[in-house]
Amino acid sequence: MSRLQTQTADSEHSIWKHLPEDTFRQHLVDLEKCTNAVPIEPQTFPLDHHTHISRAGYTLPLTTEQKIADDFAFLAAIEEGAQSVAAVCLEEHLQPSRITVRFAALDLSLSEEVKDALTSITGALSKVTEIDTSARTEKLFSQIVNLHFRRLLARLRSIKWEKPKYLAKQHKKPLWQDFANLSHRIQFVYTKKEAVLRRSVEAQVHQLAAVYEAFETVEAGFQDEIPCLHELIKASYHFCKTDAIADFAQRLENSVTAAPTPKVASAIKCLRQLEKIGAYWRVATSLVDASLKYPALFQTNLQLAFLTPYEPVPTMIGHESWATTCHVHAEVQLAVHYDLLFHATSGSSPAFLPPRVIGTSKWLCYLCYQFLRAHGSFIPVNTHGRLYDQWTIPDLADYGEELRGQYRGIVRDIDAEVVRETGATDPGEAGSILRWRAEPMTSRQNLLGVDGAC
């Protein structure tokens, strides 16, 4: 796959004309150093607070647009690591009524194989009817599991999982072995008067542990492997959606003060991972529900589109010695794409309504969050708070005067916030700030309902 050039503007027309990029990047490194690369806490921002956002002409409610976009981004991110982060916007066409799902990714993870699989999934969605909803949901679910099979083995830390080379030195035990600690933590968050509730939670944890352990006993490639994996995913979903388990998760989270003990941290991380595994069934059912509720959009000519990623650009400024290239994150790719499209001087406007949100497979990094805040056209709904200094914005000759001015303002606003955060850090705490987050900190599914209103 080819890549787009990231820097095509000359110095006079650069978005960095008034704020040199090296200065901007040094400010990022300064903030990283004094906050351990985590300037702010993980946060979510309820969409229902944005009553000023236009609803005129849109079929999809704002929260539904976000949920569907997030689900498609989740489906597109089939590999481990930051390089596989996917972002999605929904383009709602009016004449005729239909949706285009536009994908962006940081690297080349959206291979032809993945694109074909996503096309097959959308094809299955277009055929859903009230008569055969259950069968269609199962078929869609099976397609999703097949596409994400390797990723699922990685999430399970299964003995069947072949680790990529960059993880070869990591030695984490299989996820099912974490259930013993999870079960042990139950006794510490319930009072003696809550013995019945405690025993109920313990029983549910033990039942799910048995399902996970059973999957590991099935030989890789054996005919029962996929059905067992389906059962495991559905069991994880129903486990997380149980009121008693959601209450247990909330109690466990509430037991954390400044930082959890290693055992509590491990239990919270285990629950987070169970959410993500259960999400594969949730995504299948949610997309089927959306297809049934909005048949005009889903069942007539639903289309997929894929952005070409930008090439990495070299840098000499980085917090880590190995950080020698900068990248355009998927969220920024989408924002730039629509800015160029809607600011085109040809006089013809795009034949769809502007996307109002960006769906992502992981929560927004600190800089993407600040970028969307400064940009103003897309509502940021969350951030995991981590700063990656290998982040940049395309500096393009294609920007017109108005758009160029807008992007100069964006980098100025981000820089001002970075400098403010750096100055707000107590000099005595510089380099010692540790903000604990449940791993995997960058992506959550919130089946347990402990992440707020995202």
Side-chain angles (χ1 to χ4, degrees), residues 403-416:
L403 192 53
R404 187 180 307 114
Q406 178 185 344
Y407 274 82
R408 285 173 177 171
I410 288 172
V411 297
R412 182 186 63 243
D413 290 349
I414 296 174
D415 183 68

Side-chain angles (χ1 to χ4, degrees), residues 372-391:
L372 293 184
R373 284 184 66 194
H375 187 280
S377 295
F378 302 93
I379 306 168
V381 296
N382 54 46
T383 176
H384 56 69
R386 187 172 184 85
L387 191 163
Y388 301 102
D389 64 57
Q390 294 176 271
W391 181 96

Side-chain angles (χ1 to χ4, degrees), residues 55 58-66 92 293-294 356:
R55 289 173 170 78
Y58 290 88
T59 299
L60 296 176
L62 187 61
T63 53
T64 303
E65 181 180 343
Q66 181 71 63
E92 192 173 325
K293 190 170 184 178
Y294 305 101
R356 297 167 292 180

Side-chain angles (χ1 to χ4, degrees), residues 206-393:
H206 292 158
Q207 288 170 6
L208 187 62
V211 174
Y212 273 63
E213 188 172 0
F215 173 74
E216 293 297 337
T217 64
V218 178
E219 185 178 346
F222 194 66
Q223 62 181 3
D224 287 345
E225 184 179 31
I226 296 299
C228 283
L229 183 57
H230 285 196
E231 179 189 0
L232 180 151
I233 293 168
K234 291 178 182 179
S236 300
Y237 171 81
H238 293 299
F239 173 86
C240 291
K241 296 301 288 183
T242 302
D243 289 342
I245 298 302
D247 175 66
F248 166 55
Q250 189 65 67
R251 291 177 185 229
L252 200 58
E253 293 268 356
N254 292 344
S255 71
V256 177
T257 52
T261 65
K263 294 294 186 181
V264 171
S266 176
I268 293 174
K269 291 174 184 179
C270 180
L271 287 172
R272 293 292 190 191
Q273 199 69 346
L274 297 180
E275 282 187 305
K276 294 173 76 172
I277 292 167
Y280 288 93
W281 176 246
R282 199 275 305 158
V283 167
T285 57
S286 292
L287 287 176
V288 167
D289 289 344
S291 180
L292 290 172
K293 190 170 184 178
Y294 305 101
L297 298 179
F298 278 84
Q299 298 180 19
T300 55
N301 201 25
L302 189 153
Q303 296 182 348
L304 305 184
F306 302 89
L307 293 184
T308 301
Y310 286 87
E311 62 185 9
V313 292
T315 180
M316 299 294 291
I317 302 173
H319 184 40
E320 303 289 350
S321 59
W322 48 262
T324 58
T325 55
C326 292
H327 305 269
V328 181
H329 287 199
E331 300 91 328
V332 178
Q333 291 179 40
L334 285 166
V336 170
H337 169 77
Y338 290 113
D339 281 339
L340 290 172
L341 203 59
F342 283 96
H343 284 79
T345 57
S346 61
S348 59
S349 300
F352 57 85
L353 297 169
R356 297 167 292 180
V357 291
I358 296 176
T360 55
S361 60
K362 294 183 182 291
W363 284 20
L364 299 171
C365 74
Y366 173 78
L367 288 173
C368 282
Y369 165 61
Q370 297 296 351
F371 172 84
L372 293 184
R373 284 184 66 194
H375 187 280
S377 295
F378 302 93
I379 306 168
V381 296
N382 54 46
T383 176
H384 56 69
R386 187 172 184 85
L387 191 163
Y388 301 102
D389 64 57
Q390 294 176 271
W391 181 96
T392 193
I393 301 173

Side-chain angles (χ1 to χ4, degrees), residues 124-125 127-143 230 234 281 284-285 288 292:
L125 278 175
K127 296 180 175 65
V128 173
T129 66
E130 295 281 2
I131 299 174
D132 61 352
T133 301
S134 179
R136 293 291 182 180
T137 303
E138 290 291 345
K139 180 178 180 180
L140 179 66
F141 175 57
S142 181
Q143 289 176 297
H230 285 196
K234 291 178 182 179
W281 176 246
T285 57
V288 167
L292 290 172

